[in-house]
Amino acid sequence: MRVLIVEDEVRLADALGQILAEQKYATDIVHNGEDGLAYALNGQYDVIVLDVMLPKRSGFEVVRKLRKQKNATPVLLLTAKDEITDKVTGLDCGADDYMTKPFAPEELLARIRALSRRQGEVLLEELTFADLRLNLSTYDLYRGEKSLHLGFKEFEVLKILMTNPKMVVPKEDLLTKVWGVESHAEDNNVEAYISFLRKKFFFLGSKVSIGTIRKVGYRLEAD
C-alpha cells in the first residue's frame, strides 16, 4: 500500500511515516497544502492522510480540489479540533474519514486499512479507455467482441494506466504498486510488460497506444 502524508508538523509527519513503514507501507511526506495537492494529483496512492490546518492551502481546499479533478483517492483528515462543524465541513468537501489529534497508532492503521478496502469496494466491474474495456474480475481485455486474457502483472500495469487516463504514470509508481516496495525489479521489468501490452493492443486492433514520456513514465493515448 502507498500512502501520502500531508502534515506541517514535521515531527508528527515523520512519526506517521515510521508507523506506516513498520507495516511495510510506502509513504511520501510533504508539509504544505500546495505540495500535497500536487503529489496527490500526480502520484498513485491508496490513501491520503491529510492535516486540515496547513500552510499555503488548507486540507479542506485540497480535498475539494481533488474531487473537482475527479480524483477519488480515499482521504483521512487529521485535525486538532474536535468540533462537529469542522467534521461536517471536511466530509462535505469530499473527505472519507476524520480523526482528531492526538490519536492511537492502532486506530490510525485501522482507519487506513478500512479506507483502502472501501476504495476496492467502489471500483467498477470494468475500466474503459477509448475502444478498450478491462474486466476487473476476469482480467480479460476487450475491443468490441474480440478479447484476450491478461497475466497478473499485465493486468495490474494496465489497470493503473486506465485508472489514470491520459496522465503520465512514473515508472517508479508502477514498480512500487505492481512489484512491491521490497522487490528487486528494475526499470526493464516495467518496459517488458509495457511491450507485452502494446503487442496485445495490436492483436486486438485497438487504436489505443501506450506513450513513453522519456525519463518519466507512460500514459495511455488514443488516435
Side-chain angles (χ1 to χ4, degrees):
M1 189 187 300
R2 189 170 182 195
V3 179
L4 174 63
I5 299 170
V6 190
E7 169 61 64
D8 63 325
E9 296 180 36
V10 176
R11 290 180 63 183
L12 175 57
D14 290 343
L16 292 173
Q18 181 62 36
I19 291 168
L20 296 178
E22 290 171 359
Q23 302 298 313
K24 308 300 183 185
Y25 295 169
T27 59
D28 288 328
I29 300 175
V30 295
H31 302 296
N32 65 70
E34 285 289 350
D35 288 345
L37 179 61
Y39 271 67
L41 288 174
N42 294 299
Q44 309 294 314
Y45 298 101
D46 297 286
V47 176
I48 299 170
V49 178
L50 177 67
D51 189 25
V52 170
M53 301 299 292
L54 291 167
K56 297 188 178 181
R57 190 186 287 262
S58 74
F60 295 148
E61 292 179 79
V62 173
V63 177
R64 194 177 292 114
K65 187 70 173 180
L66 286 175
R67 300 312 184 225
K68 188 175 181 180
Q69 295 292 323
K70 309 300 182 184
N71 185 306
T73 305
V75 173
L76 171 60
L77 283 177
L78 303 180
T79 182
K81 298 180 178 181
D82 189 20
E83 297 180 7
I84 295 299
T85 53
D86 284 341
K87 294 181 180 181
V88 171
T89 299
L91 295 172
D92 283 347
C93 286
D96 300 270
D97 201 355
Y98 205 107
M99 286 188 70
T100 304
K101 305 174 188 175
F103 46 79
E106 294 80 3
E107 182 182 2
L108 172 72
L109 292 171
R111 288 177 184 254
I112 288 175
R113 288 193 297 268
L115 288 177
S116 67
R117 289 195 300 269
R118 187 183 306 174
Q119 185 183 31
E121 290 167 2
V122 301
L123 286 174
L124 300 174
E125 292 184 359
E126 66 178 27
L127 295 172
T128 61
F129 181 82
D131 59 2
L132 290 178
R133 292 185 293 115
L134 178 63
N135 188 298
L136 300 178
S137 299
T138 65
Y139 291 19
D140 291 328
L141 180 64
Y142 293 84
R143 178 188 173 273
E145 298 301 315
K146 197 172 184 179
S147 69
L148 48 75
H149 187 73
L150 299 181
F152 175 75
K153 283 188 169 60
E154 291 174 325
F155 169 80
E156 289 294 324
V157 170
L158 183 55
K159 182 175 74 170
I160 292 170
L161 293 174
M162 293 182 79
T163 304
N164 300 274
K166 298 184 179 180
M167 290 179 60
V168 178
V169 179
K171 277 186 181 179
E172 292 77 9
D173 287 354
L174 292 172
L175 279 170
T176 298
K177 292 186 76 72
V178 178
W179 279 266
V181 178
E182 298 184 348
S183 169
H184 296 295
E186 299 178 348
D187 286 0
N188 57 2
N189 295 90
V190 178
E191 292 163 5
Y193 279 86
I194 292 293
S195 177
F196 297 156
L197 288 171
R198 285 170 171 155
K199 290 174 182 177
K200 293 189 173 182
F201 290 1
F202 179 79
F203 173 80
L204 291 173
S206 174
K207 65 181 181 181
V208 176
S209 61
I210 302 177
T212 300
I213 311 303
R214 195 165 181 266
K215 296 185 178 180
V216 181
Y218 304 95
R219 70 181 173 199
L220 290 181
E221 300 173 346
D223 296 334

